[in-house]
PDB file of all heavy atoms in Angstrom:
ATOM      1  N   PHE A 571       7.901  -4.173  11.118  1.00 88.00           N
ATOM      2  CA  PHE A 571       8.835  -5.135  10.541  1.00 88.00           C
ATOM      3  C   PHE A 571      10.102  -4.327  10.143  1.00 88.00           C
ATOM      4  O   PHE A 571      11.080  -4.788  10.006  1.00 88.00           O
ATOM      5  CB  PHE A 571       8.150  -5.600   9.134  1.00 88.00           C
ATOM      6  CG  PHE A 571       7.054  -6.641   9.306  1.00 88.00           C
ATOM      7  CD1 PHE A 571       5.737  -6.295   9.471  1.00 88.00           C
ATOM      8  CD2 PHE A 571       7.294  -7.909   9.536  1.00 88.00           C
ATOM      9  CE1 PHE A 571       4.646  -7.177   9.639  1.00 88.00           C
ATOM     10  CE2 PHE A 571       6.288  -8.969   9.807  1.00 88.00           C
ATOM     11  CZ  PHE A 571       4.964  -8.513   9.777  1.00 88.00           C
ATOM     12  N   PHE A 572       9.938  -3.109   9.624  1.00 86.00           N
ATOM     13  CA  PHE A 572      10.958  -2.299   9.042  1.00 86.00           C
ATOM     14  C   PHE A 572      12.014  -1.815  10.256  1.00 86.00           C
ATOM     15  O   PHE A 572      13.224  -1.859   9.983  1.00 86.00           O
ATOM     16  CB  PHE A 572      10.455  -1.025   8.431  1.00 86.00           C
ATOM     17  CG  PHE A 572      11.196  -0.419   7.355  1.00 86.00           C
ATOM     18  CD1 PHE A 572      11.131  -0.623   6.045  1.00 86.00           C
ATOM     19  CD2 PHE A 572      12.260   0.415   7.782  1.00 86.00           C
ATOM     20  CE1 PHE A 572      11.918  -0.136   5.192  1.00 86.00           C
ATOM     21  CE2 PHE A 572      13.125   1.016   6.955  1.00 86.00           C
ATOM     22  CZ  PHE A 572      12.856   0.784   5.504  1.00 86.00           C
ATOM     23  N   MET A 573      11.480  -1.513  11.387  1.00 88.00           N
ATOM     24  CA  MET A 573      12.259  -0.925  12.421  1.00 88.00           C
ATOM     25  C   MET A 573      13.060  -1.938  13.172  1.00 88.00           C
ATOM     26  O   MET A 573      14.009  -1.697  13.740  1.00 88.00           O
ATOM     27  CB  MET A 573      11.452  -0.040  13.421  1.00 88.00           C
ATOM     28  CG  MET A 573      10.476  -0.851  14.218  1.00 88.00           C
ATOM     29  SD  MET A 573       9.347   0.167  15.218  1.00 88.00           S
ATOM     30  CE  MET A 573      10.433   0.461  16.558  1.00 88.00           C
ATOM     31  N   GLU A 574      12.417  -3.249  13.276  1.00 87.00           N
ATOM     32  CA  GLU A 574      12.980  -4.280  14.193  1.00 87.00           C
ATOM     33  C   GLU A 574      13.812  -5.236  13.355  1.00 87.00           C
ATOM     34  O   GLU A 574      13.361  -6.114  12.706  1.00 87.00           O
ATOM     35  CB  GLU A 574      11.841  -5.031  14.808  1.00 87.00           C
ATOM     36  CG  GLU A 574      12.286  -6.081  15.844  1.00 87.00           C
ATOM     37  CD  GLU A 574      13.096  -5.451  16.957  1.00 87.00           C
ATOM     38  OE1 GLU A 574      12.685  -4.847  17.894  1.00 87.00           O
ATOM     39  OE2 GLU A 574      14.404  -5.509  16.771  1.00 87.00           O
ATOM     40  N   THR A 575      15.145  -4.909  13.369  1.00 83.00           N
ATOM     41  CA  THR A 575      16.079  -5.784  12.675  1.00 83.00           C
ATOM     42  C   THR A 575      16.439  -7.111  13.345  1.00 83.00           C
ATOM     43  O   THR A 575      17.016  -8.035  12.750  1.00 83.00           O
ATOM     44  CB  THR A 575      17.390  -4.995  12.430  1.00 83.00           C
ATOM     45  OG1 THR A 575      17.971  -4.543  13.598  1.00 83.00           O
ATOM     46  CG2 THR A 575      17.126  -3.914  11.489  1.00 83.00           C
ATOM     47  N   ASN A 576      15.952  -7.144  14.618  1.00 85.00           N
ATOM     48  CA  ASN A 576      16.384  -8.366  15.365  1.00 85.00           C
ATOM     49  C   ASN A 576      15.210  -9.497  15.060  1.00 85.00           C
ATOM     50  O   ASN A 576      14.000  -9.104  15.535  1.00 85.00           O
ATOM     51  CB  ASN A 576      16.509  -8.198  16.898  1.00 85.00           C
ATOM     52  CG  ASN A 576      16.805  -9.404  17.652  1.00 85.00           C
ATOM     53  OD1 ASN A 576      16.277 -10.489  17.474  1.00 85.00           O
ATOM     54  ND2 ASN A 576      17.852  -9.202  18.522  1.00 85.00           N
ATOM     55  N   THR A 577      15.396 -10.442  14.330  1.00 84.00           N
ATOM     56  CA  THR A 577      14.256 -11.399  13.885  1.00 84.00           C
ATOM     57  C   THR A 577      13.576 -11.936  15.141  1.00 84.00           C
ATOM     58  O   THR A 577      12.316 -11.997  15.173  1.00 84.00           O
ATOM     59  CB  THR A 577      14.847 -12.408  12.950  1.00 84.00           C
ATOM     60  OG1 THR A 577      15.489 -11.809  11.881  1.00 84.00           O
ATOM     61  CG2 THR A 577      13.544 -13.166  12.295  1.00 84.00           C
ATOM     62  N   ARG A 578      14.376 -12.498  16.131  1.00 87.00           N
ATOM     63  CA  ARG A 578      13.765 -13.146  17.240  1.00 87.00           C
ATOM     64  C   ARG A 578      12.888 -12.098  17.966  1.00 87.00           C
ATOM     65  O   ARG A 578      11.705 -12.443  18.391  1.00 87.00           O
ATOM     66  CB  ARG A 578      14.729 -13.616  18.159  1.00 87.00           C
ATOM     67  CG  ARG A 578      14.235 -14.380  19.314  1.00 87.00           C
ATOM     68  CD  ARG A 578      15.379 -14.918  20.260  1.00 87.00           C
ATOM     69  NE  ARG A 578      16.058 -16.082  19.629  1.00 87.00           N
ATOM     70  CZ  ARG A 578      17.102 -16.697  19.941  1.00 87.00           C
ATOM     71  NH1 ARG A 578      17.697 -16.405  21.081  1.00 87.00           N
ATOM     72  NH2 ARG A 578      17.635 -17.677  19.233  1.00 87.00           N
ATOM     73  N   ARG A 579      13.266 -10.965  18.129  1.00 90.00           N
ATOM     74  CA  ARG A 579      12.467  -9.950  18.942  1.00 90.00           C
ATOM     75  C   ARG A 579      11.324  -9.494  18.043  1.00 90.00           C
ATOM     76  O   ARG A 579      10.199  -9.316  18.674  1.00 90.00           O
ATOM     77  CB  ARG A 579      13.389  -8.714  19.245  1.00 90.00           C
ATOM     78  CG  ARG A 579      12.961  -7.942  20.399  1.00 90.00           C
ATOM     79  CD  ARG A 579      14.004  -6.881  20.923  1.00 90.00           C
ATOM     80  NE  ARG A 579      14.542  -6.032  19.909  1.00 90.00           N
ATOM     81  CZ  ARG A 579      15.640  -5.371  20.004  1.00 90.00           C
ATOM     82  NH1 ARG A 579      16.281  -5.473  21.202  1.00 90.00           N
ATOM     83  NH2 ARG A 579      16.045  -4.643  19.079  1.00 90.00           N
ATOM     84  N   LEU A 580      11.376  -9.476  16.881  1.00 89.00           N
ATOM     85  CA  LEU A 580      10.263  -9.066  15.965  1.00 89.00           C
ATOM     86  C   LEU A 580       9.175 -10.188  16.019  1.00 89.00           C
ATOM     87  O   LEU A 580       8.041  -9.848  16.275  1.00 89.00           O
ATOM     88  CB  LEU A 580      10.680  -9.219  14.470  1.00 89.00           C
ATOM     89  CG  LEU A 580       9.525  -8.926  13.457  1.00 89.00           C
ATOM     90  CD1 LEU A 580       8.974  -7.654  13.643  1.00 89.00           C
ATOM     91  CD2 LEU A 580      10.237  -9.047  11.975  1.00 89.00           C
ATOM     92  N   VAL A 581       9.513 -11.520  16.084  1.00 89.00           N
ATOM     93  CA  VAL A 581       8.540 -12.475  16.257  1.00 89.00           C
ATOM     94  C   VAL A 581       7.829 -12.390  17.691  1.00 89.00           C
ATOM     95  O   VAL A 581       6.634 -12.456  17.826  1.00 89.00           O
ATOM     96  CB  VAL A 581       9.221 -13.881  16.134  1.00 89.00           C
ATOM     97  CG1 VAL A 581       8.261 -15.078  16.511  1.00 89.00           C
ATOM     98  CG2 VAL A 581       9.805 -14.027  14.780  1.00 89.00           C
ATOM     99  N   GLU A 582       8.582 -12.149  18.713  1.00 89.00           N
ATOM    100  CA  GLU A 582       8.097 -11.914  20.073  1.00 89.00           C
ATOM    101  C   GLU A 582       7.137 -10.812  20.016  1.00 89.00           C
ATOM    102  O   GLU A 582       6.072 -10.906  20.681  1.00 89.00           O
ATOM    103  CB  GLU A 582       9.300 -11.671  21.023  1.00 89.00           C
ATOM    104  CG  GLU A 582      10.225 -12.747  21.435  1.00 89.00           C
ATOM    105  CD  GLU A 582      11.318 -12.375  22.286  1.00 89.00           C
ATOM    106  OE1 GLU A 582      11.281 -11.397  22.947  1.00 89.00           O
ATOM    107  OE2 GLU A 582      12.308 -13.269  22.475  1.00 89.00           O
ATOM    108  N   LYS A 583       7.428  -9.687  19.424  1.00 90.00           N
ATOM    109  CA  LYS A 583       6.564  -8.531  19.368  1.00 90.00           C
ATOM    110  C   LYS A 583       5.188  -8.893  18.656  1.00 90.00           C
ATOM    111  O   LYS A 583       4.082  -8.515  19.156  1.00 90.00           O
ATOM    112  CB  LYS A 583       7.176  -7.371  18.684  1.00 90.00           C
ATOM    113  CG  LYS A 583       8.175  -6.712  19.540  1.00 90.00           C
ATOM    114  CD  LYS A 583       8.850  -5.603  18.927  1.00 90.00           C
ATOM    115  CE  LYS A 583       9.840  -4.952  19.800  1.00 90.00           C
ATOM    116  NZ  LYS A 583      10.491  -3.672  19.158  1.00 90.00           N
TER     117      LYS A 583
END
Side-chain angles (χ1 to χ4, degrees):
F571 290 95
F572 202 97
M573 66 185 276
E574 186 53 86
T575 55
N576 184 316
T577 308
R578 178 175 294 177
R579 205 163 54 192
L580 173 62
V581 173
E582 289 177 13
K583 288 181 178 180

